[in-house]
Amino acid sequence: LCETAERVRNDIRIAQEFEWLQFEDKTNTNPKTAGLMACNKRKNRYKNILPFDCTRVVLNNIDPTIPGSDYINASFIFDDQSSGLFIAAQGCLKATVDDFWHMVYQENSRIIIMVTNEIEKAKIKCVRYWPDYGLTSLVDGRELTNVDETSTGDYVIREFELEEDPLPGRDTRRLRKIFHYQYIGWPDHGTPGDPASLLDMLAQIDTTQKTFQYPGPPVVHCSAGIGRTGTVIVINMLINLLQLKGGVDEKDVPQTVQKVRCQRGGMVQTEAQYRFIYRALVVYMKRLREQQLTQQKNENQKMDYGNIDVINKMLQELDVEPPDDKPPLPPRD
Ligand code: PTR
Ligand code: PTR
C-alpha cells in the first residue's frame, strides 16, 4: 500500500513539474530573428520551431553576398554541470542538406544521432541526407561515403567517411570518420515502451565518442529537433551527471529540462516524453545496481551495499516501481 501511495505521489509530482515547465517555457522571450528572416523561411521545417539567436549554430565561411547564408535551424545545448555539449537540429529538408554537412564539418562532430524515421504516417519527417551503403555522394562540395551499415533491432549504425580539406602545401586525400546512429524504435507522437535499447545505443555512442581525440559535439536531430531530440539529450546529460556526481536527485530532472529549454524552446515536447526520462533513469540505475551486485559476487568480496543503498534511495525518489531485491518482510502474526 505504501508503495502504491509513493507511486501515485511521484506520478502527481511529475505531472505538476511538467505543467510548471510548460509555463516557464512560454515566458521565454529570447529573440529568434535569424530564423524569422524571409530568406530563411524555406530552411525551416516547421514555422513555429526556430532556434534562439543566442544559441543558434552560425555557419562560417559562407557567401557574404547571400543573405541569411549563415543560418541553419540548429542550436548548441550546453550542460554546465557535466560540461557536456550537443547540437540539437531539425531533420534535413532538401534545401538544407548541404548546410547540415557544412555544420557537421565545421563543428567537427563525429556522431550524428537521428531519432526519427524518414517517413512516419505517410509524412516526410526528414530527407535522406546520406548515401546508401557502399555509395558516395557529394555534400557541400565534399565526397561522403557510406562504408558500413549494421542494424540491431531498434537502431541502425552507419559509418561514413567525409572528405577533409587538404593540409596546406599537401595534396594527400584525408578522410574523416563520422558515425551515424539512427534510432528507429521510437513511434511517432509517442515514446519507446522500454528505454533499454535506447540506453544500449547511448552507451555505445559514449564508447565511440571516446575513440576520438578532440571530437566536436554530437549532433542530435529528429523532425522538429525538440521532442525526441530534447528527450535524448536530457537523458544523456542526466547519465553524465550521475556518473560525475555519483547520483542524481528529483530536482535534477526538471532543472535539466528547464536549462535545455532556455537554449532551444520546447525541448521535451510532451508529458509522456518527460515521464520517459524518469523511466530511462530508473532502468539505467537498475542496471548499475545489477552490475555492482555481480561484480561483488565475482570478486568474492564481503558484500558492501554502500553504493547499492544510494541507488535504492535514488530509485525511490525517481521511480514508480519499488526496488526488486529487498529482503522479504518478516511475517506478521
Ligand atoms: N505537436 C503535436 C501537438 O501539440 O499535439 C504533437 C506532436 C508531436 C506532433 C510529435 C507531431 C509530432 O511529430 P513526430 O511524429 O515527428 O514526433
Ligand atoms: N508544428 C509541429 C508542432 O508544433 O507540434 C512541429 C513539431 C513537429 C514539433 C514534430 C515537434 C515534433 O516532434 P519532434 O521534435 O520529436 O520531431
Side-chain angles (χ1 to χ4, degrees):
L1 202 69
C2 229
E3 274 155 10
T4 316
E6 183 78 5
R7 194 171 305 173
V8 171
R9 195 187 68 89
N10 276 348
D11 266 5
I12 294 172
R13 196 198 72 222
I14 291 171
Q16 285 170 342
E17 276 173 14
F18 191 72
E19 210 177 308
W20 175 78
L21 285 165
Q22 292 294 80
F23 174 79
E24 285 286 304
D25 202 35
K26 288 203 190 85
T27 65
N28 190 325
T29 53
N30 283 336
K32 305 174 180 173
T33 48
L36 286 166
M37 281 165 69
C39 55
N40 289 331
K41 203 170 163 188
R42 64 188 179 91
K43 301 178 196 166
N44 296 316
R45 181 170 279 282
Y46 302 99
K47 62 176 186 303
N48 61 334
I49 312 290
L50 305 175
F52 295 130
D53 292 335
C54 55
T55 48
R56 77 180 179 97
V57 180
V58 178
L59 302 178
N60 298 333
N61 302 323
I62 37 74
D63 186 345
T65 63
I66 305 173
S69 57
D70 68 356
Y71 176 78
I72 183 165
N73 190 324
S75 316
F76 285 112
I77 310 291
F78 180 64
D79 181 22
D80 52 350
Q81 278 183 296
S82 68
S83 306
L85 182 66
F86 301 84
I87 290 173
Q90 71 171 22
C92 283
L93 294 160
K94 229 192 209 140
T96 63
V97 172
D98 282 347
D99 295 341
F100 180 83
W101 284 107
H102 191 106
M103 171 179 81
V104 168
Y105 188 82
Q106 168 186 312
E107 298 304 323
N108 193 25
S109 297
R110 302 310 189 100
I111 307 266
I112 299 168
I113 307 174
M114 172 169 181
V115 214
T116 181
N117 291 289
E118 292 159 66
I119 296 174
E120 289 170 357
K121 300 226 173 91
K123 281 197 203 138
I124 299 178
K125 296 287 176 165
C126 176
V127 300
R128 175 174 282 239
Y129 53 87
W130 65 90
D132 287 339
Y133 171 60
L135 298 183
T136 299
S137 59
L138 206 63
V139 293
D140 193 38
R142 300 173 191 280
E143 282 191 356
L144 174 74
T145 309
N146 179 343
V147 294
D148 197 18
E149 193 160 314
T150 0
S151 187
T152 72
D154 279 342
Y155 56 98
V156 184
I157 308 167
R158 302 184 177 91
E159 202 178 316
F160 300 146
E161 283 174 354
L162 182 61
E163 188 185 354
E164 291 207 1
D165 294 334
L167 289 171
R170 307 248 189 114
D171 53 6
T172 351
R173 196 162 175 270
R174 297 183 307 147
L175 299 170
R176 184 181 291 184
K177 278 243 182 275
I178 293 171
F179 288 85
H180 189 256
Y181 289 83
Q182 183 183 7
Y183 193 80
I184 51 176
W186 198 312
D188 57 344
H189 305 275
T191 58
D194 181 356
S197 61
L198 183 71
L199 292 173
D200 292 340
M201 186 179 88
L202 293 180
Q204 208 175 339
I205 288 172
D206 193 46
T207 311
T208 308
Q209 177 82 340
K210 283 180 180 143
T211 63
F212 296 107
Q213 206 173 6
Y214 299 111
V219 174
V220 189
H221 78 82
C222 47
S223 187
I226 58 163
R228 294 164 284 183
T229 295
T231 308
V232 166
I233 290 180
V234 168
I235 291 172
N236 218 317
M237 283 181 173
L238 288 166
I239 288 177
N240 290 345
L241 187 66
L242 196 107
Q243 287 171 349
L244 218 76
K245 281 206 321 195
V248 288
D249 58 49
E250 52 182 26
K251 289 188 310 300
D252 288 318
V253 180
Q255 270 174 11
T256 306
V257 172
Q258 203 210 357
K259 235 175 356 192
V260 162
R261 283 180 165 196
C262 290
Q263 303 175 68
R264 187 168 172 93
M267 293 278 269
V268 185
Q269 203 200 13
T270 65
E271 190 184 312
Q273 289 170 346
Y274 186 64
R275 226 166 254 284
F276 180 74
I277 296 171
Y278 277 91
R279 300 237 311 278
L281 270 182
V282 163
V283 172
Y284 181 84
M285 285 191 285
K286 284 188 174 166
R287 282 185 179 183
L288 217 61
R289 186 171 60 183
E290 279 309 302
Q291 275 171 14
Q292 291 190 356
L293 286 171
T294 10
Q295 215 176 353
Q296 281 165 352
K297 267 182 214 143
N298 290 350
E299 289 169 8
N300 204 13
Q301 289 173 350
K302 212 175 95 210
M303 286 295 226
D304 166 16
Y305 279 96
N307 284 325
I308 306 292
D309 280 349
V310 176
I311 293 174
N312 281 341
K313 177 156 181 308
M314 288 192 286
L315 280 172
Q316 221 175 27
E317 278 182 11
L318 302 174
D319 188 19
V320 276
E321 279 173 48
D324 45 20
D325 64 350
K326 268 195 315 199
L329 292 170
R332 289 202 216 172
D333 44 17

